Amino acid sequence: AQKITQTQPGMFVQEKEAVTLDCTYDTSDPSYGLFWYKQPSSGEMIFLIYQGSYDQQNATEGRYSLNFQKARKSANLVISASQLGDSAMYFCAMLSNAGGTSYGKLTFGQGTILTVHP
Amino acid sequence: DGGITQSPKYLFRKEGQNVTLSCEQNLNHDAMYWYRQDPGQGLRLIYYSQIVNDFQKGDIAEGYSVSREKKESFPLTVTSAQKNPTAFYLCASSIAGGANQETQYFGPGTRLLVL
């Protein structure tokens, strides 16, 4: 079974500082994708960054980077130079062709609420 | 602008009533999905569709039904059989729905409340 664990219910960071949001995953599939989404109070899920299981380098997208440690099954999100607008819920998710089915099932963690202080 | 629209933003359901949530996309994506989110929780898959006139149950399909008559549209009906329908419903789409690198893009969501 696929599982995503986010152990930090809430995180606080000072504006302009960096913050790391933790994510560990469990899957028996050799091929999978890892995603991070941001959910502001409005509710919409905003795609941030993607990491494939066979990617050799860590993914980066602007101020977002993904610290991918395959052996430890972790995919932590690093946000550099935090801004007030970064305050939101953040979800880690995994996409895999679970058990050989023909679609990619996106499995979500419980989320981490990030609060950026001025 | 390409994107996913959901309507209504808020929906109220009376006991025993069926209600339908709308989801439309103009991204030319083949695959569409419905997720349910309960307070403080992650998302759970209700139904998905990879192609017109075909759809499959997700993890929590009981009490829900869908149709996919057009590529752009994937409406979700919450039936009276769904005993705890109060939740936030999110629709998503992706290019084809079969690869592990396919990003799913989400609509703004519909909040369903039971009166």
Side-chain angles (χ1 to χ4, degrees), chain A residues 31-33 35 37 39 41-45 47 50 91 95-97 102-106 108-110, chain B residues 33 35 37 40-43 45 48 50 59 88 90 97-104 106-108 111:
Chain A
S31 175
Y32 50 89
F35 301 79
Y37 286 88
Q39 187 177 41
S41 57
S42 61
E44 185 170 358
M45 297 287 282
F47 165 70
Y50 160 83
F91 288 97
L95 190 63
S96 67
N97 287 328
S102 61
Y103 78 102
K105 176 181 176 180
L106 198 56
F108 285 83
Q110 299 284 72
Chain B
Y33 312 82
Y35 291 90
Q37 184 179 28
Q41 303 292 316
L43 279 66
L45 182 66
Y48 68 98
Q50 287 183 286
D59 295 326
F88 188 50
L90 286 154
N100 288 331
Q101 63 268 32
E102 274 191 29
T103 299
Q104 292 183 20
F106 287 81
R111 293 193 187 277

Side-chain angles (χ1 to χ4, degrees), chain B residues 1 10 17 22 31 53 59 84 93 95 100 104:
Chain B
D1 281 332
Y10 296 95
Q17 185 181 43
S22 169
N53 292 323
D59 295 326
N84 185 23
S93 71
I95 291 175
N100 288 331
Q104 292 183 20

Side-chain angles (χ1 to χ4, degrees), chain B:
Chain B
D1 281 332
I4 302 173
T5 58
Q6 291 185 243
S7 62
K9 187 173 182 179
Y10 296 95
L11 186 57
F12 299 91
R13 194 192 91 162
K14 296 180 181 179
E15 293 287 342
Q17 185 181 43
N18 292 355
V19 292
T20 298
L21 286 60
S22 169
C23 177
E24 304 274 333
Q25 56 97 0
N26 61 4
L27 299 168
N28 200 31
H29 286 172
D30 284 318
M32 297 186 74
Y33 312 82
W34 274 105
Y35 291 90
R36 169 181 171 141
Q37 184 179 28
D38 292 288
Q41 303 292 316
L43 279 66
R44 292 181 292 167
L45 182 66
I46 305 172
Y47 267 99
Y48 68 98
S49 168
Q50 287 183 286
I51 197 168
V52 173
N53 292 323
D54 184 61
F55 47 84
Q56 304 296 329
K57 293 181 179 180
D59 295 326
I60 55 167
E62 186 174 351
Y64 301 97
S65 66
V66 294
S67 63
R68 187 87 187 275
E69 297 177 0
K70 299 187 301 182
K71 185 176 183 177
E72 303 80 18
S73 178
F74 192 40
L76 173 74
T77 296
V78 184
T79 74
S80 57
Q82 173 50 243
K83 298 306 179 187
N84 185 23
T86 296
F88 188 50
Y89 291 86
L90 286 154
C91 177
S93 71
S94 66
I95 291 175
N100 288 331
Q101 63 268 32
E102 274 191 29
T103 299
Q104 292 183 20
Y105 297 93
F106 287 81
T110 293
R111 293 193 187 277
L112 176 60
L113 299 169
V114 176
L115 297 176

